[in-house]
Amino acid sequence: MTTGMPPVVDQATWRAALDELRKREKAATRELDAIAAARRRLPMVELPDYTLIGADGPVRLVDVFAGRSQLITYHHMWTDGAEWQCGGCTGFTSQFTRLDFLDNYDARFVVVTNGPIDEALAYRAKVGNKMDWYSSSESSFGADVDAPPNEGFAVNVFLRDGGTVYRTWHTNGRGTEQLSHTFALIDLLPWGRQEEWLDSPEGWPKRPTYSGWLDSPDIARLYGEDTA
């Protein structure tokens, strides 16, 4: 079976179609700007004085900020004792290898998992993850911010005022896609993600959802501590 291809047209026809699509792209950009403006106006809720576990032992949540005023946490799905953790979480967090730019915005981005810290740090090394990891295994922090043990992943954002921490924003599911460059690049391609749920023209390649994603062993092979 021949794979579907976009129709071939002359330059003027292509430019006209692109210009028409650009109107929708610009409208989406303006809507995202408006959503971000609304996000900046969200109220917030004060949090208790949680204690997490870091590479050097117990650490108060307020100290996870490392002196900064803003903190983003990615809550990595976790199964105690498993050889490989969630492939989606592993692949997603593998993207973030250079986060120093957040210093200019008085912010930090870290991984939090409900797993034991020793297991978490060993897994971090095995898959070559470059982020700082913390464990909430000895507190209710994960559950209290919508990332309880043995359930899904999440992103949370916090603001620190002196010694007090406030929760300002949360998302999960496809809400995390806005933080990823992988889908942004793939969605530019003529065939897109090629997943079976997509609205694509007849003849476009399709495969089961998630089947094109790198799994945890793939991430380890590419970036892990044993990579030659």
Side-chain angles (χ1 to χ4, degrees):
M1 178 178 175
T2 302
T3 300
M5 300 284 284
V8 178
V9 297
D10 60 72
Q11 177 74 12
T13 302
W14 175 81
R15 178 63 67 180
L18 179 64
D19 289 347
E20 192 63 28
L21 178 62
R22 182 77 78 246
K23 295 176 184 178
R24 297 181 63 184
E25 292 174 338
K26 293 299 184 183
T29 298
R30 289 190 293 272
E31 177 62 12
L32 288 174
D33 288 342
I35 290 171
R39 188 181 297 118
R40 290 190 292 273
R41 289 166 172 80
L42 280 174
M44 59 187 183
V45 60
E46 183 176 344
L47 296 183
D49 186 16
Y50 292 105
T51 296
L52 306 183
I53 312 297
D56 298 322
V59 55
R60 295 171 62 205
L61 176 61
V62 69
D63 293 325
V64 175
F65 285 73
R68 298 166 181 83
S69 298
Q70 301 170 105
L71 176 69
I72 305 168
T73 56
Y74 182 86
H75 298 261
H76 198 296
M77 292 175 65
W78 194 267
T79 301
D80 289 355
E83 178 183 6
W84 299 109
Q85 300 298 336
C86 169
C89 293
T90 303
F92 179 84
T93 56
S94 72
Q95 301 173 77
F96 304 105
T97 59
R98 295 182 176 91
L99 292 167
D100 293 340
F101 69 90
L102 288 174
D103 291 345
N104 288 344
Y105 296 89
D106 195 18
R108 192 177 184 213
F109 183 23
V110 303
V111 172
V112 176
T113 179
N114 291 304
I117 189 61
D118 290 346
E119 283 190 24
L121 294 177
Y123 186 74
R124 174 185 182 271
K126 183 166 72 170
V127 298
N129 189 282
K130 302 302 182 185
M131 296 179 68
D132 292 322
W133 285 50
Y134 295 86
S135 168
S136 57
S137 62
E138 298 182 24
S139 79
S140 62
F141 177 67
D144 293 347
V145 295
D146 298 295
N150 303 312
E151 293 194 26
F153 60 94
V155 173
N156 280 282
V157 181
F158 307 95
L159 182 66
R160 180 180 67 86
D161 182 16
T164 304
V165 175
Y166 301 90
R167 187 185 186 198
T168 66
W169 187 74
H170 162 267
T171 194
N172 55 19
R174 294 192 65 193
T176 61
E177 285 187 12
Q178 63 180 296
L179 308 179
S180 169
H181 69 254
T182 56
F183 292 124
L185 288 173
I186 295 168
D187 285 344
L188 295 178
L189 301 174
W191 290 331
R193 304 186 197 186
Q194 303 175 38
E195 296 188 354
E196 54 195 2
W197 62 271
L198 292 174
D199 178 5
S200 296
E202 185 69 29
W204 254 233
K206 287 183 179 292
R207 57 189 173 196
T209 303
Y210 311 127
S211 62
W213 296 22
L214 294 179
D215 202 357
S216 301
D218 303 313
I219 300 297
R221 174 176 51 81
L222 290 170
Y223 310 118
E225 60 181 3
D226 295 330
T227 301

